[in-house]
Amino acid sequence: MRVPLSWLREYVDLPATETGRDVQAKLISAGLEVETVEQLGHDLKGPLVVGQVLTIEELEGFKKPIRFCTVDVGQANGSGEPQEIVCGARNFAVGDKVVVVLPGAVLPGNFAIAARKTYGKTSHGMICSGDELGMGDDGSHGIIVLPQETEVGKDAIELLELVDEVLDIAVTANRGDCLSIRGVARETAIAYGLPLRDPALLDVPGPNAFGYPVQVSDPVGCDRFTARTVTGLSPEARSPLWLQRRLQKVGMRPISLAVDVTNYVMMEVGQPLHAYDRTLVQGTIGVRRATEGEKLVTLDGVERTLHTEDLVITDERGPIGLAGVMGGANTEIADHAESEGTTDVVIEAAHFDAVSIARTARRHKLSSEASKRFERGVDPQASSAAAQRTVDLLMLLAGGTAEAGVTEVIAPSAPHTIAVPADHPDKVAGVVYGRETVVRRLQEIGCDVYGQDELIVTVPSWRPDLGEGNDLAEEVIRLEGYENLPSTLPKPPSGRGLTHRQRLHRRVGRALAGAGYVEAPNYPFVGEQVFDQLGLDADDPARCVVRLTNPLNDEEPALRTSLLPGLLAALRRNDGRGSHDLALFETGLVFLPREEQGVAGQLPVDRRPTAEEIAAIDAVLPEQPRHVAAVLAGAREQAGWWGKGRPADWADAVEAARTVAAETGAELIVRKGQYGPWHPGRCAELAVVTDGTERVVGHAGELHPRVLKALGLPARTSAMELDLDVLEQAGDDTPRAPGISTFPVATQDVALVVDAYVPHADVEAALREGAGELLEAIRLFDVYENAEQLGDGRKSLAYALRFRAGDRTLTVDEASAARDAAVALAGERTGAVLRG
């Protein structure tokens, strides 16, 4: 919310010496987020005056139209002679009043003005546009053309109010009242201890039977609707300069008089309004929910298909506006520049349900100034005053006549009251304020307060965010000053730290980071189309997702069941930005729906929930196991003087899984597998044994080319994903000191020839079991394939076996016997034979 200091002073008599910075400090102390104070015109220096165009000469022979003008600026130039100025704008004519900057002036941006020769003429100054003066666009997209009654030679800096200070306030979602000058003025008056001139305190005529007919069919969605009619408006009337400038300062563009007046009152009072061209409205104005399939062309020219939850304004033809969001094009106010402008208007000032407006705005991706206010809370009691203020301004500025009829449709409601102990703010803040201070502060924000020890507080209509006693306590505390609260350090109990699970997750992250991976946390939201891109079967459990009722992004309405979609998207994004050698990992929760759906109860806020209440909440939440995943692409080892380097492949993904398993103390079973996005033949199924039962905990390997194409990933991208919770259950990560033997190691190498489809893991497992207790380590150091030497469909696997005994030096016969036993068992189980 942008708040000009000059406008704010109309409602609060601030000391003349107070600057925008001073007001900013006061409002920040009162709890408002005043981000910046913009100094308008601080670098502007005159002379800047009003001039009248006397002659215009079109200069020929240039690439763009150029005009040589003479302009009467009165005595501002010291001689009274016409000022000669070269200008390229086309939106003014002889006789128009314009803004002229004379030599010696300085425009915003430190742009000094001097006489200079251009296009064969000498230009003594400039005819200015709004952008050149830092005003913004006034709708003309060119030179500022002033009303004819403007005096020639008058100081344009004062006329256009170019010097001002504007406070830019970041209004939080609960303070909808501060989305208006009225609301900010109230906070300013409280901060300075000054009286407020409330712009909503107007004499408003009561409702009668002669007003424009209105039928509200949904009193829950619209509990108040005020309609007023003004006729006989001058179609040529334009918004005066002061009104245009105020709209520009708050960030709005002047459009036409009727629209500008409704926008002005909205910014002033906080009540969104809409003006309909009465000649285009047919019959009774209605408020109802849309029917399925109804369409409406809104003022932005977009045809929108309405939803049954949308609240719409209608006439006899159907919808003429999206209530609280945007009006319809079929009743749009005609611009003053058109040949037949609007002369009769119906003014709508209504109060709509905040939730309904918020959902409609998000559903149609149509955020407007009106919807921003309604969804944060608008004062329902201000609608009549806002309508009256609009009527008064239209009559004043366009010569209209207000019809005697006043329509008000109001759903009965009682003011909101809160019972709160008088010392409740003291207990919340840890400061003794006393009853008098509490009552005074609550009365300052507009509350009616009764009672002694137990206060009965009636909340003002403009503060719908005050719902219970803690809200009132917060108001007292912020107005008394957060900076005055004592600083008390908490005293945590000793002996608490990270849980075993938290320490494990940190160790896993450090191990992967040490292996060269970079952590890349992602949002837990996915679109269900990603499962098709990953090639998952139609009945795959990963397709069963938890859907969000109100997703942040309609394209990602579900919670993830795998970490891979987010990680692969991060890899694609980084690869597209020039980082081609990538190794990313993430540990995070996935969300699996329960078979039986339940509804969570509401936990208490005045005490700690009991264990049973927390358990009841947990019982209806989705299962949330923690997974770990890693993705790789590009080079795994860089080339250099030390060697050729190598690309990342499926083996690196398997090794990442082994790294994670080692941190959990689980023994990982690696075997050939096939699942979803992984390439058949280059996919490892990963399993562990827990409670005597083997469980598959994930997969690793190279992704399928179809998946790479569907997701736009680099060639040969590899990935791994594991269920970290199951690994933790299966493992024992108790630190163990390594056994150190004083006896020497005996090394035996064997080369076994097996069929090409036999997995190395099966051969290694057989060798390990057959070698027995003397085997200390086994390592595959060579894989060889040659059809001429080995035969078709055969391969050679070479292993280094290390044997050691803890109590003696092994003999050659003992080591050879262990090796032969290992080879024999491998031959029995996998068909392996020693390579000749």
Side-chain angles (χ1 to χ4, degrees), residues 146-208:
L146 301 171
Q148 279 298 316
E149 61 270 17
T150 311
E151 179 186 349
V152 171
K154 184 178 178 63
D155 184 0
I157 295 178
E158 178 182 351
L159 176 69
L160 299 176
E161 301 178 14
L162 296 179
V163 179
D164 202 350
E165 294 180 280
V166 178
L167 285 70
D168 194 348
I169 303 175
V171 179
T172 54
N174 66 315
R175 292 302 306 271
D177 61 304
C178 287
L179 285 173
S180 66
I181 304 296
R182 178 196 185 201
V184 177
R186 182 180 293 108
E187 291 295 318
T188 305
I190 295 172
Y192 279 91
L194 297 171
L196 169 71
R197 288 188 292 274
D198 192 340
L201 291 180
L202 300 175
D203 292 331
V204 179
N208 53 54

Side-chain angles (χ1 to χ4, degrees), residues 50 53 58 200 217 485 501 548 557 643-644 756 797 825:
V50 176
V53 180
E58 301 289 344
S217 302
L485 293 178
R501 187 170 188 242
L548 301 172
K644 296 181 180 180
L797 303 176
L825 187 59

Side-chain angles (χ1 to χ4, degrees), residues 230-369:
V230 181
T231 60
L233 298 176
S234 171
E236 292 82 19
R238 296 181 57 182
S239 301
L241 286 175
W242 64 266
L243 193 148
Q244 293 186 44
R245 287 296 295 133
R246 286 194 169 177
L247 289 178
Q248 288 173 332
K249 289 177 184 179
V250 298
M252 304 190 76
R253 182 174 66 86
I255 299 173
S256 65
L257 178 60
V259 175
D260 292 349
V261 167
T262 58
N263 286 336
Y264 177 86
V265 175
M266 175 181 68
M267 302 307 295
E268 181 182 54
V269 180
Q271 167 68 53
L273 301 109
H274 191 71
Y276 301 94
D277 189 328
R278 182 177 181 180
T279 61
L280 300 179
V281 179
Q282 299 180 9
T284 301
I285 291 178
V287 183
R288 62 169 171 82
R289 299 287 173 175
T291 58
E292 193 65 37
E294 274 190 310
K295 296 183 182 298
L296 170 67
V297 178
T298 46
L299 288 173
D300 56 358
V302 177
E303 183 179 68
R304 304 183 185 275
T305 300
L306 304 179
H307 189 274
T308 53
E309 290 185 2
D310 291 336
L311 202 63
V312 293
I313 310 298
T314 64
D315 64 4
E316 292 179 352
R317 298 165 295 177
I320 60 173
L322 205 53
V325 180
M326 186 174 286
N330 52 358
T331 57
E332 182 178 6
I333 296 292
D335 190 7
H336 62 77
E338 299 183 13
S339 57
E340 296 182 3
T342 299
T343 59
D344 301 340
V345 298
V346 178
I347 299 162
E348 164 207 311
H351 184 262
F352 300 110
D353 175 60
V355 174
S356 176
I357 300 306
R359 288 179 175 173
T360 295
R362 284 158 178 74
R363 186 181 299 116
H364 293 282
K365 296 181 176 62
L366 185 62
S367 179
S368 64
E369 292 291 341

Side-chain angles (χ1 to χ4, degrees), residues 44 296 604 646 822:
L44 177 63
L296 170 67
R646 67 174 183 86

